Amino acid sequence: MHVPDGFINAPVSAAAGVVAAGAVAVSLRGARRELDERTAPLAGLVAAFIFAVQMLNFPVAAGTSGHLLGGALAAILVGPYTGVLCVSVVLLMQGVLFADGGLTALGVNVTDMAITTTVVAYLVFRGLVKLLPRGRRSITVASFVAALLSVPAAALVFTLLYAVGGTTDVSLGKVATAMVGVHVLIGIGEAVITALTVGAVVAVRPDLVYGARGLTVPLKLRVGGELVDAPAAAPAPAASGGSHRKIWITGLVTSLVLAGFVSFYASANPDGLEKVAHDKGLDRKTEEHASADSPLADYGVRDITNSRLSGGLAGVIGVGVTVVAGSAVFWALRRRRTSDAASTEVRAGDPVA
């Protein structure tokens, strides 16, 4: 659902940019509360994983494909504020390096793909986990439903933005029907990927899943013929740095394999937005991307003629750049949180005059 330059006019693109900048600013502040010794190492990896999986277009209908948006996955794994930042980092890397998603439309894409998907998914997820029985299966089910609903929600937001600032005169009713229809199908793929990923992490390291915190069922003891809550156990010691490194290395290798090798077998059909834009005439005023001359444009390395090698190398570079950029942002926020906490302790310990 990467919107190119020319789909949305300049005033609406600028307004979306202001909304996106405000949301990113709020997320930078909120992420400082979410990022701790568990989520900080994971957040940059989540961004890289989303980048990798977005290269894996899967067929959803005749002549149409889809790919992961990632907002639900990021929100559930590392928190909604950090999730917005994860997807925003991916969109920035894709727009600047790979000419995927217009630069003047970056605010539109962040609003649509980062903010909308993350907020909708996390609200649905939190609502479901309160209703469902506590346990790992409920986390997986809630992840599936949240991811499924987040994609057509993003399609609706795009339609609304196009209704206000679209550059071509087309039937908005037909656009909305086509966008929501195809993105419901894409949402099923999003839901499967999200549920499988969250379920896999919960099975191995539930403490790393932000959305699973506080959902353990209290142990029951039978006392005098009645079931009562057992005394709370002492907190488990923090996972060792070696354990964190193992998870991080496994995730990074998986991302590199997906982007560098598996992506070659992805569907070559246009994605949902591209297909609808072509069929309904939304793309008549598409502008050339400002990064069209990038050596990595269109997910290939310039001057490498072998398509498999070119695409795989571009994917590996993209994962590497994204994990470095994302990790730098999240570690900086983590250090800021630690610094703020230390300052608060110092102030609290100052003698009262």
Side-chain angles (χ1 to χ4, degrees), residues 5-341:
D5 296 318
F7 270 35
I8 307 294
N9 63 30
V12 174
S13 294
V18 172
V19 171
V24 168
V26 171
S27 297
L28 286 169
R29 189 174 185 85
R32 285 159 54 186
R33 298 191 297 270
E34 294 174 345
L35 292 168
D36 55 23
E37 67 279 357
R38 291 172 292 179
T39 52
L42 187 63
L45 181 61
V46 168
F49 182 77
I50 290 172
F51 176 92
V53 180
Q54 282 197 4
M55 295 183 66
L56 308 181
N57 281 51
F58 48 84
V60 295
T64 310
S65 70
H67 63 68
L68 182 81
L69 297 185
L73 178 63
I76 295 166
L77 286 180
V78 293
Y81 293 108
T82 308
V84 169
L85 298 179
C86 283
V87 182
S88 298
V89 167
V90 173
L91 293 172
L92 180 61
M93 296 299 104
Q94 291 171 331
V96 172
L97 298 179
F98 298 92
D100 189 11
L103 295 184
T104 62
L106 182 60
V108 172
N109 285 319
V110 169
T111 300
D112 196 26
M113 295 176 64
I115 302 169
T116 300
T117 58
T118 301
V119 171
V120 170
Y122 197 71
L123 289 176
V124 172
F125 175 82
R126 295 308 305 176
L128 286 175
V129 295
K130 290 180 180 179
L131 298 175
L132 296 171
R134 292 185 175 186
R136 295 178 182 178
R137 182 175 299 178
S138 296
I139 297 297
T140 304
V141 171
S143 300
F144 184 95
V145 178
L148 173 62
L149 295 178
S150 70
V151 179
L156 279 175
V157 169
F158 167 79
T159 303
L160 291 174
L161 290 172
Y162 200 85
V164 178
T167 55
T168 56
D169 185 15
V170 297
S171 170
L172 292 174
K174 292 181 178 179
V175 171
T177 300
M179 282 292 292
V180 174
V182 72
H183 283 92
V184 166
L185 298 177
I186 294 173
I188 296 173
E190 177 105 9
V192 171
I193 295 170
T194 301
L196 288 175
T197 305
V198 172
V201 179
V202 165
V204 178
R205 286 289 302 275
D207 59 302
L208 292 181
V209 179
Y210 182 90
R213 297 181 183 180
L215 295 177
T216 55
V217 179
L219 179 65
K220 297 287 186 180
L221 296 177
R222 186 174 295 277
V223 179
E226 297 182 358
L227 289 176
V228 297
D229 290 343
S240 67
S243 178
H244 277 153
R245 284 194 295 272
K246 184 177 179 180
I247 293 290
W248 198 89
I249 291 172
T250 301
L252 180 60
V253 170
T254 301
S255 300
L256 290 171
V257 170
L258 291 175
F261 177 74
V262 180
S263 63
F264 183 77
Y265 301 97
S267 173
N269 291 331
D271 65 25
L273 177 58
E274 292 172 336
K275 179 66 173 175
V276 172
H278 177 73
D279 291 347
K280 305 301 179 184
L282 276 65
D283 58 356
R284 289 197 293 266
K285 294 187 178 181
T286 303
E287 300 172 1
E288 184 179 17
H289 200 287
S291 297
D293 294 331
S294 166
L296 298 173
D298 298 323
Y299 297 93
V301 179
R302 184 188 299 169
D303 299 330
I304 295 182
T305 56
N306 184 294
S307 60
R308 185 190 295 266
L309 179 60
S310 177
L313 184 57
V316 168
I317 293 171
V319 168
V321 172
T322 303
V323 76
V324 169
S327 297
V329 170
F330 299 126
W331 274 114
L333 290 173
R334 170 63 181 153
R335 288 172 62 89
R336 179 68 180 272
R337 169 180 167 167
T338 304
S339 176
D340 290 348

